[in-house]
Structures are given as C-alpha cells and as structure tokens.
C-alpha cells in the first residue's frame, strides 16, 4: 500500500531561506518562527515592514522574508515611527533585545508607546547583553553574575531590574502590553497567541502593542540549552511575572 | 510669486512645504523653533506628517525611518540639538538616504547661548558623526537665499541619495526681509526602487548601514567616495563681489560674509582694492576658485563667527603662497562692519605671513572684549 504524504509543517513564507546565526538552543530562533507563523496566518507578509535592532538579532532583516530596515542601537521605535507615519497602511514592527529597548533605547520606546504609535514591538528579555558577550542589562536579576557584574548584580550600586511591560502598560497610548515566555511548548503556544493579538491591535488601529518574551541566552549564561530553559523558569519567572498588563477593551475576545 | 516680508525660519519651513515636503520631525530649540511651530500648523492642515519627537535623537531616527520609504523628509535644529543627531546622521549617510536638515547655529560650545554663531562649521562640513561620509552643506546669507537653498537642498539630496544640510546662523533664521517663495507644487509620490513599502508582489528589500564583512563595507565606502567626487565636480557654489581686480580677498560665509560685503564696499570707497568671495556651498568647498585668486591677490582675510574653522580650508587652498589673515568673533558675538573694515585696512597696509594668524588675532581681540 502506497503511503499518502501529508504535509504537517513547512517553513513559514515570512521566513527567508537564510539560515540564522543564533547559538544552539537560543530562543531568538523560536521568537522569529512565531512571528513568521503569525504574519503568514494573518496574511500580512507582503504588507509588513520590520525594523531590526542592534544586538544578536541585528541580522533579523536577513531571516525574515519581507521589507526590513536596520536601526541604530535602541532607536528602532523612532525609526518605526517614521516608517509607519509615511506608510500608514503597512504593518510595522520592531524586534528588540533588552539592552536595546530597556537601556539605550528607553526614551524612544516610552515615547512611541506614549504617542500610541501604531507599531508592534517584540521585546526579547534574556537578562543580559547577548551580542557583546554577556554584560549586565537593565533586566539582569539581583545577584546575577555577568561579565560586567562579576560579583553578581549589586542592587546598591547597579540598581534593580526594570520591568518594561509593567512600565509601558501605564501609558494610555498602549493598547496591548503583555509578557510571555519561551521556555516550554505550552508557553510558546501562549506567546504565539499574544503575537497574534498584538498584530491584530495594530491592524485595527488601536494603539501601541508590545509582547515581551522571556528568552534564553545559553551561551552567555554558561548553561546548556536545557539548563537555560530551567534557569529561566526558576529565576526569571518570579522576577518577571507573566501576564496581560494592558489589554484594550476593544481586543476582548480576539483569539486566533 | 510676490515678494513678502518673511522671517528666515518661517520662510525656509514654508519653502520646504511648497516643494513637496511629506514629513517633518523635530524638537524645540532656539533659535530654530519657528520652523517646528510653522510645520506643526501647516503640515496637518495639508494632510502631511508632523511629529514633535521626544528629543533630537528621536527626531533624527524618525527622519531615518521616514526616508526609508522614499518620501521627502526633513528635520531642523540648532547646534546642541544637531550634536545629538550626529549618530543618526552617520547612519543615514551609511544607508545612502536623501535627507535634508536645517541647522540654525547658535553660540557654543556646550549650552552656550541663543545668539547667532557659525560654530558648527567643522561639525557640519567635516563630519561630526563617525565614519567617512560627506554631506552637502549650503550656507545662506539672506532670507531669499535661505528659501532658494532649501528648495535646492531636496533636489540635491534626492539626486545623490545624500545628506544635505542647510546651515544658517541664528541671524538668518530670525531676520525679517522681503523674499519670494516658490509656488505650491504637488507632492511627488514617486517611489524609488530602493524604498521600503512592503514586499507586495516583489522581492523583499532592506535598508541598513551594516556591512559586517569589511570587504563590502569597503565597497560601500568606495561608492560613497566616488559620489563625493562627483558632488565636488558639480556642486561647488560661491558668490563673487569686486574680485576682478581685487588685491585683498575677503572670504566669509553666511552672515559674516554679508557683513564683510558692507565692509568691502566701504574699503573700495577708500580706494582699497578689496573683494569678497562668499562660499554658498561650504561642502563641496570652492578650493579651485580660491586657488585661482591666490595666483593674483596679495593677501586674504577670512572673517567668521567662530574661531577660524573655515580659515583652515582657505589656508589649504592658498597653500602658503600669500598671507592669509583672520578675524572672527565667537560665542554668539556678531562683528560690526567697522570692525571688519579696520581689519581690511590693517591687512591692506601690511599683509603679514604668519604661521597661525589666530595668535595675533586673539591679542587684537583683547581690545574689544570686556575685562
Ligand atoms: C551606540 C552603541 N552602543 C553600543 C553598541 C554595542 N552593542 C552592540 S549589541 C549591544 C547589546 C545588545 O544586547 P541586547 O539588546 O540585550 O540584545 P541581545 O544581543 O541580548 O539579543 C551593545 C551594547 C552599539 N552597537 N551601539
Ligand atoms: S549570544 Fe545569547 S542571545 Fe545571542 S544568539 Fe547566542 S544564545 Fe542567543
């Protein structure tokens, strides 16, 4: 009996053929896939313009199969503002790490949200600066050792982690601000739903949307991919509670 | 169009609007704020984009994003704000995007003051941002010229996919003079083949200033340099006054050039054979014209509202053949025609070859400054 072939998975059209350069076990790749699947499902690929950050995802423009711009470190929300204002019929999203968004780009992100800029931000929180070799980020946990906090983050001198989802949720311009995690299949599914809703908020012109994704950096954490997922679950979840911090009432009931 | 009494800043803003500006992004700073305010009223009225950014850093990066769509876009600021924009300007240069920026220069360094100055010459002409790139820099001396150069700035930016700065001192920004504005034109709406508009029915595009492989970064740099050579060949602009038989050549740009012209006329009335060369483009610089003058004049006097930033470009062109003297006021001070006339008389009396004319200039300045 001839076996019938059944297609169970194919590469999302929103991803290019270029192999990515992320380290093995890094959840940047997972985040890329989820975004691409959502854009495919919402049939938005040809209408979307992405903005890549400075960080490990600096080459995101190579990995996504759509128009892309590459911003200066932290400035993606401002660049996205310019793109969106001139192309109001297009979907514009930024993809940013925690050094990019919560440190050097703090001004740009807060004001983009404050203006209710119709952009979607995917925020990868991996508790350190990946690309430059694992220095302390604004999201580094108290006591966490990094290459620039070798004795562990000392809150007396280096302060406390900044919770971006909570902070931006206070702004009226924000329509949808949530935190999800990429450490297991269930959470990955929830993250995908959130990305869907975030793009939906933009399509419907409701305001600024951001999905913060807790992410791993096995290379700089000095852990195996599996240990890194565990570390995220045990240490980052308590510090960065998952949840919906702002959901515009108009989004009630939007689920893919 | 009829001539109207116009304030420099507002005239430049309206000129940009009339030649099809699609988006403006800026941040308040004296003495350029009238541009931002004019845009905030006019752009929405015309259904175009106006955003008051959170900072000049925000503004320049909004301009960067907006320029990626192939639209006519600009920003404006004054010296400290332009300093803050330097990161974005280097990125825009590296991405080869057409962008116009107006800098209404004020006294510095630091917070300085809000008085007219030409202290941004080096920052604007010789870079300021990192890497090898060359903006086109235009320097108006009157409101009419500010209007005309603003109009031209957009064409040049688009022709060369290059940064174009219109640098005026606070005087040109604030003065009111009769001038003629261009007629209202249609917004062009043509989309260049590199613009980001969404990959609908075509291959994806990306715009970036990153070339991680130095081999390709060098290729890009070579392209930028070749374009710069072309710009140098085509876009030198300067005005000549009484130079046919001039023995003493005064060189000044913007307001300093304009005041120097009054002084040159007074010197002529006294029988001194003085003339003026006023660079209208500071970049590319009129080296060749100055080289020619150095063959027949017996002395040069450079007049600036800074400590001799352009002086070094004149010295380069003259290359030691005849004395180059200097007179400048700094920190927001504007020279009077009489001061420049005194300098012209002095140089005409005894042209002196000096390694650095600024040494003696600082001494002479002591007489003018409060103690
Ligand atoms: C103005 C500027 N400052 C510093 C850098 C160096 N730099 C490159 S990536 C980076 C940190 C990126 O970390 P993050 O945003 O957390 O992203 P990740 O690499 O972890 O994904 C830094 C500091 C830069 N490129 N530009
Ligand atoms: S350094 Fe960290 S964040 Fe960057 S690709 Fe590697 S694992 Fe991912």
């Amino acid at each position: 009996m001839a076996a019938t072939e059944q297609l169970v998975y194919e590469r999302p059209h929103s991803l290019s053929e270029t192999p990515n350069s992320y380290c093995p076990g890094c959840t940047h790749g997972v985040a890329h896939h989820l975004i691409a699947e959502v854009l495919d499902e919402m049939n938005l690929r040809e209408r979307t313009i992405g903005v890549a950050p400075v960080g490990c995802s600096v080459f995101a423009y190579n990995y996504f199969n759509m128009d892309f711009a590459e911003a200066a470190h932290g400035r993606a929300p401002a660049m996205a503002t310019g793109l969106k204002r001139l192309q109001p019929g297009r979907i514009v999203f930024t993809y940013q790490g925690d050094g990019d968004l919560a440190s050097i780009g703090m001004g740009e992100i807060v004001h983009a949200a404050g203006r209710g800029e119709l952009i979607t931000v995917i925020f990868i929180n991996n508790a350190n600066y990946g690309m430059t070799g694992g220095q302390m980020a604004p999201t580094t946990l108290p006591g966490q050792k990094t290459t620039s906090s070798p004795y562990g983050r000392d809150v007396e001198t280096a302060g406390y982690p900044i919770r971006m989802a909570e902070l931006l949720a206070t702004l009226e311009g924000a329509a949808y601000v949530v935190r999800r995690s990429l450490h297991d299949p269930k959470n990955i599914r929830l993250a995908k739903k959130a990305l869907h809703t975030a793009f939906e908020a933009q399509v419907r012109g409701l305001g600024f949307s951001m999905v913060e994704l807790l992410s791993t950096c096995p290379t700089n954490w000095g852990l195996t991919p599996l240990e890194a997922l565990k570390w995220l679950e045990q240490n980052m979840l308590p510090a960065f509670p998952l949840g919906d911090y702002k959901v515009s009432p108009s989004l009630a009931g939007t689920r893919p | 169009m009829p001539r109207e009494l116009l304030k420099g800043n507002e005239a430049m803003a309206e000129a940009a609007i009339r030649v099809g500006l699609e988006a403006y992004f800026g941040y308040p700073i004296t003495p350029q704020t009238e541009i931002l305010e004019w845009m905030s009223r006019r752009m929405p009225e015309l259904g175009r984009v106006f955003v008051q950014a959170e900072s000049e850093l925000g503004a320049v990066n909004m301009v960067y994003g907006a320029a990626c769509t192939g639209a006519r876009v600009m920003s404006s600021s004054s010296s400290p704000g332009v300093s803050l924009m330097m990161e974005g300007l280097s990125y825009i240069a590296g991405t080869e995007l057409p962008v116009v920026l107006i800098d209404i220069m004020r006294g510095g360094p630091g917070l300085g003051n809000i008085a007219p100055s030409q202290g941004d010459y080096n920052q604007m002409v010789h870079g300021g941002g990192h890497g090898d790139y060359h903006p086109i820099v235009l320097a108006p001396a009157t409101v009419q010229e500010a209007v005309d150069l603003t109009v031209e700035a957009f064409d040049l930016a688009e022709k060369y996919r290059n940064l174009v700065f219109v640098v005026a001192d606070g005087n040109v920004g604030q003065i009111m003079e009769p001038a003629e504005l261009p007629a209202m034109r249609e917004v062009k709406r043509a989309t260049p083949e590199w613009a980001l508009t969404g990959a609908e029915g075509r291959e994806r595009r990306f715009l970036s200033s990153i070339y991680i492989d130095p081999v390709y970064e060098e290729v890009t740099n070579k392209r930028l340099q070749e374009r710069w050579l072309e710009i140098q060949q085509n876009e030198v602009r300067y005005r000549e006054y009484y130079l046919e038989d001039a023995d003493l050549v005064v060189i000044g740009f913007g307001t300093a050039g304009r005041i120097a012209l009054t002084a040159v006329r007074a010197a002529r009335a006294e029988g001194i054979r003085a003339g003026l060369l006023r660079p209208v483009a500071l970049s590319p610089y009129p080296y060749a014209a100055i080289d020619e003058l150095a063959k027949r004049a017996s002395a040069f006097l450079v007049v600036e509202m800074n400590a001799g930033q352009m002086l070094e470009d004149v010295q380069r062109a003259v290359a030691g053949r005849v004395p180059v003297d200097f007179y400048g006021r700094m920190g927001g001070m504007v020279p009077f025609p009489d001061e420049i006339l005194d300098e012209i008389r002095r140089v005409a009396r005894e042209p002196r070859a000096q390694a650095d004319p600024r040494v003696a200039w600082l001494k002479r300045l002591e007489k003018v400054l409060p103690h």
Side-chain angles (χ1 to χ4, degrees):
Chain A
M1 216 176 86
T4 48
E5 211 177 305
Q6 195 190 349
L7 185 69
V8 288
Y9 180 80
E10 67 173 336
R11 171 191 289 279
H13 297 295
S14 293
L15 279 188
S16 74
E17 304 274 313
T18 313
N20 75 44
S21 53
Y22 298 116
C23 307
C26 171
T27 44
H28 263 304
V30 177
H32 279 34
H33 254 265
L34 296 183
I35 295 165
E37 287 173 15
V38 166
L39 292 175
D40 274 13
E41 286 161 22
M42 296 177 77
N43 202 17
L44 290 175
R45 185 189 76 80
E46 294 195 329
R47 287 178 52 200
T48 297
I49 305 172
V51 184
V54 175
C56 283
S57 45
V58 67
F59 296 121
Y61 61 82
N62 275 331
Y63 311 144
F64 286 102
N65 178 24
M66 61 196 64
D67 275 12
F68 243 86
E70 161 57 35
H73 196 20
R75 320 287 173 231
M79 205 177 182
T81 297
L83 282 158
K84 182 72 181 188
R85 295 289 181 122
L86 273 294
Q87 296 276 329
R90 296 311 193 198
I91 299 304
V92 176
F93 78 93
T94 71
Y95 184 102
Q96 304 177 256
D98 42 18
D100 195 81
L101 181 140
S103 191
I104 196 167
M106 183 60 109
E108 286 74 19
I109 190 66
V110 169
H111 285 274
R115 284 190 304 270
E117 213 60 63
L118 290 176
I119 60 171
T120 299
V121 173
I122 290 97
F123 171 38
I124 305 294
N125 177 354
N126 61 12
N128 77 79
Y129 285 31
M131 190 190 212
T132 39
Q135 295 77 27
M136 184 179 70
T139 45
T140 294
L141 303 177
Q144 184 185 337
K145 285 187 178 164
T146 70
T147 62
S148 62
S149 57
Y151 309 111
R153 181 177 188 162
D154 176 1
V155 296
E156 291 298 323
T157 54
Y160 296 85
I162 297 178
R163 297 187 181 89
M164 287 307 299
E166 287 87 331
L167 195 152
L168 296 178
T170 63
L171 301 171
E172 278 171 63
Y176 185 69
V177 178
V178 300
R179 182 180 294 117
R180 299 287 185 268
S181 177
L182 300 174
H183 70 281
D184 65 20
K186 173 173 162 259
N187 279 286
I188 289 172
R189 269 198 302 280
L190 293 172
K192 183 174 169 184
K193 281 188 183 173
L195 289 168
H196 195 288
T197 312
F199 281 109
E200 182 67 24
Q202 182 176 169
V203 168
R204 288 166 54 185
L206 299 177
F208 172 89
S209 52
M210 180 178 89
V211 180
E212 174 172 342
L213 296 172
L214 301 186
S215 203
T216 62
C217 177
T219 301
N220 289 309
W221 293 355
L223 300 174
T224 66
L226 265 181
E227 288 167 350
L229 294 170
K230 266 270 155 311
W231 191 89
L232 186 165
E233 186 177 7
Q234 283 168 359
N235 299 283
M236 289 180 76
L237 287 189
F240 298 105
L242 305 184
D244 294 359
Y245 291 95
K246 179 82 178 272
V247 181
S248 154
S250 327
L251 282 167
T254 355
R255 283 288 178 269
Chain B
M1 291 281 124
R3 277 160 70 83
E4 306 162 63
L5 193 61
L6 299 168
K7 186 172 192 166
N9 280 339
E10 295 175 352
M12 281 187 266
E14 182 61 21
I17 287 170
R18 294 203 181 176
V19 295
L21 180 71
E22 286 166 81
Y24 172 90
F25 306 87
Y27 187 82
I29 181 169
T30 313
Q32 80 58 70
T33 304
E34 293 87 356
I35 300 180
L36 172 100
E37 289 171 340
W38 189 270
M39 294 295 185
S40 72
R41 189 165 62 74
R42 290 280 286 146
M43 294 296 274
E45 176 175 287
L46 294 162
R48 305 185 195 172
V49 175
F50 167 85
V51 180
Q52 178 170 328
E54 62 274 16
S55 66
E56 289 85 354
L57 210 47
V60 74
N61 284 285
M62 289 177 195
V63 163
Y64 185 16
C68 286
T69 69
R72 254 190 184 186
V73 297
M74 68 169 281
S75 185
S76 61
S77 189
S78 176
S79 313
V82 173
S83 297
L84 202 53
M85 288 183 175
M86 280 301 161
E87 178 199 52
L89 296 174
S90 169
Y91 275 72
I92 289 167
T95 312
E96 300 168 70
L97 293 172
V99 162
V100 172
L101 170 70
I102 298 177
D103 176 15
I104 308 296
M105 298 179 282
R106 61 186 244 180
L111 193 51
N113 55 47
I114 58 174
S117 156
Q118 298 180 330
D120 293 3
Y121 182 90
N122 276 338
Q123 153 153 289
M124 302 313 269
V125 171
H126 294 305
H130 55 287
D132 281 303
Y133 69 93
H134 291 275
I136 295 172
V137 184
L138 307 172
T142 65
V143 173
Q144 185 64 62
E145 203 171 37
V147 166
D148 299 343
L149 292 178
T150 301
V151 170
E152 236 183 309
F154 288 100
D155 295 329
L156 289 171
E158 283 155 22
K159 178 173 179 195
Y160 296 104
R161 279 180 73 175
N162 210 79
L163 281 169
V164 181
F165 302 150
V166 180
V167 303
D169 46 75
N171 199 51
V172 176
Q174 296 297 324
I175 203 169
M176 286 191 80
E177 284 181 335
E180 187 184 339
L181 285 167
M184 193 75 170
R185 278 189 224 161
E186 289 283 312
V187 170
K188 65 173 168 70
R189 298 265 180 253
T191 313
E193 80 289 347
W194 46 261
L196 302 185
T197 54
E200 201 169 324
R202 61 158 169 79
E203 283 295 296
R204 70 194 163 107
R205 296 173 182 160
F206 65 85
L207 286 171
S208 105
S209 66
I210 187 173
Y211 297 90
I212 203 71
D213 183 343
V215 170
Y216 293 105
E217 184 67 78
E218 191 174 41
V219 168
T220 303
N221 268 271
K222 178 165 174 282
R223 184 168 63 244
L224 292 178
Q225 292 307 313
E226 282 164 355
R227 186 173 309 156
W228 170 234
L229 288 181
E230 193 189 335
I231 291 170
Q232 280 176 286
Q233 221 125 69
N234 300 339
E235 309 302 345
V236 170
R237 288 164 168 69
Y238 55 89
R239 291 285 302 270
E240 297 174 292
Y241 308 85
Y242 313 106
L243 284 177
E244 310 76 41
D245 63 340
D247 197 35
L248 195 172
V249 177
V250 181
I251 302 188
F253 70 95
T255 294
R258 188 172 172 168
I259 300 169
L261 180 58
T262 308
V264 163
R265 288 194 174 119
R268 281 268 163 183
E270 289 177 11
I272 300 173
R273 291 218 321 264
L276 172 75
L277 183 137
R278 179 167 66 80
V280 174
L282 302 179
S283 169
Y285 197 72
Y287 290 113
I290 296 174
D291 173 60
E292 279 307 312
L293 289 168
K295 291 175 186 160
R296 51 191 163 90
S298 54
F300 283 76
L301 171 65
V302 177
V303 180
E304 295 182 78
M305 282 148 58
N306 61 40
Q309 298 185 26
M310 183 183 70
L311 166 68
E312 294 176 10
D313 287 319
V314 176
Q315 284 172 325
R316 199 180 126 192
V318 173
R321 283 169 287 178
V322 289
V324 178
D325 217 311
F326 176 71
Y327 187 70
R329 298 299 304 267
M330 303 171 286
M333 294 299 288
V334 181
F336 286 105
D338 282 354
E339 290 173 65
I340 301 176
L341 178 59
D342 277 348
E343 291 288 308
I344 292 175
R345 287 181 186 133
R346 182 180 59 78
V347 177
R349 231 175 16 247
E350 40 159 355
R352 263 198 304 154
Q354 310 158 71
D356 186 353
R358 283 175 287 209
V359 177
W361 159 67
L362 283 174
K363 282 254 170 311
R364 294 198 300 283
L365 210 54
E366 275 170 16
K367 282 177 269 161
V368 200
L369 300 193
H371 289 281

